[in-house]
Amino acid sequence: MASSNVSASSLFSVSGLVAVVTGGGTGIGFMITKALAANGARRVYIIGRRQDKLEEAANAIDPNVVSPLQGDVTDLESLLEISQTVESSIGYVNLVVANAGTMGPRPLKPPPGSTTLPSLAEYREHALKAPMQDFTQTCAVNTTAVHYTALAFLNLLDEGNKKQNMGADWRSQIIATGSIGGFSRLSGASFAYNSSKAAVTHMMKMMSTAFVPYGIRCNVLAPGVFPSDITNGIFTGQGDARGEIKRFPREMIPAGRAGTEEDIAGAILWMVGRAGSYLNGSVVVVDGGRLGTLISTY
Ligand SMILES: NC(=O)c1ccc[n+]([C@@H]2O[C@H](COP(=O)([O-])OP(=O)(O)OC[C@H]3O[C@@H](n4cnc5c(N)ncnc54)[C@H](OP(=O)(O)O)[C@@H]3O)[C@@H](O)[C@H]2O)c1
């Protein structure tokens, strides 16, 4: 049968797309960038503070498509400078993925293999050792910076809509990488991280409503456990997290494994291609069923 409007190659194509991916040099941002570049994106600008990581990523994927732009998403001037550079070089964007993120201080837990809880005094002493600024910094990267990243690119997302290069009914989109942490009440998890991810999820829903008059959509990708610098602690004792699929007990992750780049690629191509063009204000959970095993709020 000839290709049709419902063929996978049509529904999941990102041909000609211009995107910005913060934190695109490593981890999940790298997986997103790789998926977009491998499926026809015209240009993907990747943002991060470490120029060497960005260049390594661009060279590993395709330096003709992936362009490194050094910057700090918690610094408004830096964000505006980046959007100015993108404006001068290409003039529009179709997609912004606000993916940069960071972990936060963690509370004291029993050591691995033990069920003996720390005393209240030990718990308190440990928690108070983390400077308040560390908590605030997690919120700055994971929540505040997502808002300002979106604001910095609104004009270029609008230009993307005027161009209609993704099709007449396709609307420019902002995707935030949230986390299942934003829904989980798991004891021992970072209060700063999980609450910053809950906040960004709600903020994106609010933004999706606020930007309706301007034709800009907002959605959230909420991953479960994927190998990256952030999750290295979770993979401790299981060898190197990269290069092979890590197995987990099904009581922890019903899929029996960590997420892979194919899992991120599948989700992002669905969200970004014509297949996902009806999404607005949505949260896409990609976690192998992990949230169902946790005390969670949905
Ligand atoms: N891995 C998981 O299992 C998992 C699960 C759920 C959600 N997530 C989310 O996925 C996103 C990506 O994390 P990851 O797991 O892929 O870890 P990662 O490899 O550590 O990625 C974090 C990225 O954010 C960038 N970044 C951090 N602070 C920045 C800043 N101030 N300005 C610009 N860039 C900054 C980092 O680059 P520089 O350090 O060079 O700036 C890095 O490329 C995060 O939002 C994370 O919360 C991850």
Side-chain angles (χ1 to χ4, degrees), residues 49 100-104 137-139 141-142 193 196-197 230:
R49 293 162 302 175
T102 191
M103 195 24 84
Q137 179 61 18
T138 301
C139 298
V141 178
N142 293 355
Y193 183 80
S196 69
K197 291 297 185 178
I230 281 186

Side-chain angles (χ1 to χ4, degrees), residues 26-28 49-50 72-73 99 177-178 193 197 223-224 226 228 231:
T26 65
I28 289 177
R49 293 162 302 175
R50 290 167 295 171
D72 184 338
V73 295
N99 164 82
T177 307
Y193 183 80
K197 291 297 185 178
F226 285 76
S228 77
T231 49

Side-chain angles (χ1 to χ4, degrees), residues 1-257:
M1 200 175 93
S3 113
S4 75
N5 61 319
V6 291
S7 68
S9 59
S10 159
L11 284 174
F12 299 97
S13 169
V14 293
S15 185
L17 180 97
V18 174
V20 173
V21 181
T22 70
T26 65
I28 289 177
F30 179 88
M31 298 176 199
I32 291 171
T33 303
K34 187 173 169 185
L36 297 176
N39 288 280
R42 177 180 171 197
R43 186 71 60 85
V44 185
Y45 295 94
I46 54 173
I47 318 299
R49 293 162 302 175
R50 290 167 295 171
Q51 182 71 19
D52 57 330
K53 288 281 173 199
L54 297 174
E55 278 169 15
E56 217 177 280
N59 290 331
I61 299 173
D62 182 348
N64 295 316
V65 175
V66 181
S67 300
L69 288 177
Q70 190 175 24
D72 184 338
V73 295
T74 61
D75 176 347
L76 183 55
E77 276 192 21
S78 177
L79 281 171
L80 293 175
E81 213 172 277
I82 289 163
S83 77
Q84 185 60 56
T85 304
V86 174
E87 183 168 12
S88 318
S89 72
I90 209 158
Y92 68 99
V93 300
N94 306 113
L95 170 74
V96 171
V97 186
N99 164 82
T102 191
M103 195 24 84
R106 293 172 189 271
L108 194 59
K109 287 194 291 191
S114 162
T115 50
T116 312
L117 289 172
S119 69
L120 183 64
E122 288 165 338
Y123 184 99
R124 179 176 181 269
E125 189 193 344
H126 171 88
L128 285 175
K129 268 193 205 139
M132 225 187 243
Q133 178 51 33
D134 289 5
F135 195 115
T136 305
Q137 179 61 18
T138 301
C139 298
V141 178
N142 293 355
T143 311
T144 312
V146 172
H147 189 59
Y148 284 91
T149 299
L151 295 178
F153 287 98
L154 282 182
N155 54 339
L156 297 185
L157 288 159
D158 189 41
E159 290 303 319
N161 277 336
K162 289 182 193 150
K163 241 182 148 56
Q164 298 199 337
N165 58 307
M166 296 297 292
D169 281 330
W170 197 98
R171 295 279 173 272
S172 289
Q173 180 175 198
I174 302 161
I175 295 176
T177 307
S179 170
I180 59 167
F183 306 100
S184 153
R185 295 162 54 177
L186 178 68
S187 182
S190 167
F191 288 99
Y193 183 80
N194 284 25
S195 54
S196 69
K197 291 297 185 178
V200 80
T201 301
H202 189 66
M203 189 182 78
M204 290 297 287
K205 290 182 187 178
M206 288 179 69
M207 279 164 44
S208 77
T209 310
F211 297 163
V212 165
Y214 309 109
I216 295 168
R217 298 176 295 131
C218 298
N219 293 298
V220 176
L221 174 67
V225 177
F226 285 76
S228 77
D229 289 348
I230 281 186
T231 49
N232 259 347
I234 300 175
F235 290 94
T236 302
Q238 305 204 16
D240 182 4
R242 286 139 236 245
E244 56 178 294
I245 298 172
K246 286 292 149 194
R247 302 288 158 192
F248 282 86
R250 290 192 188 275
E251 309 82 75
M252 184 180 170
I253 303 178
R257 62 170 177 83

